[in-house]
Amino acid sequence: MEISPKAPPTLLVHAMDDPSNDPRHAMAYTMALDKVGVPVDLRIFAEGCHAFGLRPASAP
């Protein structure tokens, strides 16, 4: 996949225990954006599963 330097500044938030998406994909995308000069910030949390912050959960 080719990453465009015209991509918007990007914030990626990911959980290590996400069963749907491997956190290495977010890391690879972050590095690809950085390589073409797109401002990018990646935040990785130990827990949160998938879509944390977007769905009801027992923990804050």
Side-chain angles (χ1 to χ4, degrees):
M1 173 193 290
E2 187 173 329
I3 305 299
S4 171
K6 294 181 180 181
T10 303
L11 170 64
L12 298 167
V13 181
H14 205 92
M16 290 296 292
D17 65 347
D18 185 333
S20 301
N21 296 302
D22 189 321
R24 291 177 289 189
H25 297 164
M27 293 176 200
Y29 187 47
T30 298
M31 291 187 298
L33 287 168
D34 183 64
K35 185 175 180 178
V36 297
V38 174
V40 60
D41 190 359
L42 171 62
R43 303 297 169 127
I44 298 180
F45 295 90
E47 297 178 346
C49 290
H50 187 75
F52 64 95
L54 299 175
R55 58 171 169 66
S58 60

